[in-house]
């Protein structure tokens, strides 16, 4: 099908090329061979009379014309999907549907198991794919790589609808044999201890919690251990004099597993975290996603 002499099938290829900025990865994304993707790029270059992607060192970068096309092309494809591709009805007991959710390891640990269990009984034909969030989760959502995103409230985008799922507080965790903290945990004890923290960056960056802590108290925690997951923090204080500040549900789960840890109320006031569900604005009327959101809210009330 053509519109103003443009083969509309090329819009899908254009979106993949502008997003991936790599011919091989773009081809994998839309299930085309590398030669076929290269051919699509050549046709797009001819239509727009622009190179669109140009080599810069070992990478490909977008031309100014390509930068200007990036958001409008994605917007067009999303509108097509939300108005034409979606089914006018959804019956969870019989329909098949694949849902992709962007989640953290905290969400996976405390929330996804009861949600998936609920979906298994109510919608046996539904598939659920959990994907790790990158440093820009809202961009993942906007690129249509996921149906929904679960993140703390402060990271949601004002461009898309969202709702609060549940609130979470924090606890401090130490080893039961910690020689320096027995009986009570004071603020001085907290500052004196080495800290175990989660760091998703892979680089020596100050985590978000530490940015808030430094701004609030004017001091830095002494970070001695970093880990790629929040759920691992309680176990990493065992056998040491270190401390971890973790979500309350994770601390309670670690106690249920029988870890030799002591859980303390923090000796400082830490803001409550509001875990939030967000979805793309063009998917707001998707009946299947409406149903999934309702199930998520029900499960959130129970955890």
């Amino acid at each position: 099908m053509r519109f103003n002499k443009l083969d509309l099938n090329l819009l899908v290829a254009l979106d993949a090329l502008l997003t991936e900025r790599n011919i091989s990865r773009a081809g994998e994304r839309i299930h085309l061979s590398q030669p076929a993707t290269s051919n699509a790029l050549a046709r797009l270059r001819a239509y727009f009379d622009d190179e669109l992607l140009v080599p810069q060192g070992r990478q490909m970068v977008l031309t100014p014309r390509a930068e200007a096309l990036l958001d409008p092309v994605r917007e067009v494809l999303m509108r097509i999907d939300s108005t034409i591709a979606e089914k006018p009805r959804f019956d969870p007991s019989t329909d098949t549907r694949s849902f992709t959710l962007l989640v953290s390891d905290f969400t996976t640990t405390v929330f996804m198991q009861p949600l998936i269990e609920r979906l298994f009984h109510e919608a046996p034909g539904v598939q659920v794919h959990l994907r790790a969030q990158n440093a820009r989760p809202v961009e993942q959502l906007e690129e249509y790589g996921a149906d929904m995103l679960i993140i703390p409230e402060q990271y949601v985008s004002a461009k898309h609808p969202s709702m609060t799922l549940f609130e979470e507080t924090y606890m401090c965790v130490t080893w039961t044999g910690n020689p320096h903290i027995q009986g009570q945990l004071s603020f001085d004890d907290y500052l004196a201890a080495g800290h175990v923290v989660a760091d998703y960056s892979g680089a020596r960056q100050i985590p978000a919690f530490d940015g808030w802590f430094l701004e609030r108290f004017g001091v830095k925690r002494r970070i001695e251990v970093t880990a790629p997951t929040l759920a691992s923090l309680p176990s990493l204080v065992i056998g040491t004099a270190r401390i971890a500040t973790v979500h309350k549900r994770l601390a309670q789960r670690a106690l249920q597993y029988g870890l030799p840890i002591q859980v303390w109320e923090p000796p400082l006031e830490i803001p409550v975290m509001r875990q939030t569900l967000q979805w793309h604005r063009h998917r707001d009327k998707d009946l299947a996603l409406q149903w999934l959101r309702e199930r998520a809210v029900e499960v959130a009330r129970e955890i």
Side-chain angles (χ1 to χ4, degrees), residues 138-183:
V138 174
E139 288 188 14
Q140 287 178 277
L141 185 70
E142 292 176 341
E143 289 174 8
Y144 238 34
D147 293 296
M148 293 195 300
L149 168 65
I150 301 178
I151 50 174
E153 181 182 51
Q154 62 266 36
Y155 299 117
V156 302
S157 169
K159 296 191 299 183
H160 304 289
S162 63
M163 63 172 63
T164 300
L165 283 177
F166 59 90
E167 293 185 346
E168 180 65 299
T169 56
Y170 293 86
M171 302 295 287
C172 295
V173 177
T174 60
W175 176 43
T176 53
N178 187 319
H180 304 302
I181 304 175
Q182 296 288 336

Side-chain angles (χ1 to χ4, degrees), residues 31-42:
H31 309 293
L32 285 181
S33 66
Q34 184 168 338
T37 309
S38 295
N39 179 262
L41 177 58

Side-chain angles (χ1 to χ4, degrees), residues 208-256:
F209 178 83
D210 283 82
W212 165 83
F213 186 82
L214 178 62
E215 181 179 339
R216 173 70 174 79
F217 295 98
V219 292
K220 291 177 63 174
R221 298 188 299 170
R222 191 174 75 252
I223 297 174
E224 295 183 347
V225 177
T226 63
T229 64
L230 287 163
S232 65
L233 300 187
S235 65
L236 297 178
V237 303
I238 296 172
T240 76
R242 297 186 175 110
I243 190 168
T245 305
V246 303
H247 299 89
K248 183 176 182 178
R249 288 177 174 88
L250 291 179
Q252 292 172 333
R253 188 172 290 252
L255 284 175
Q256 292 170 358

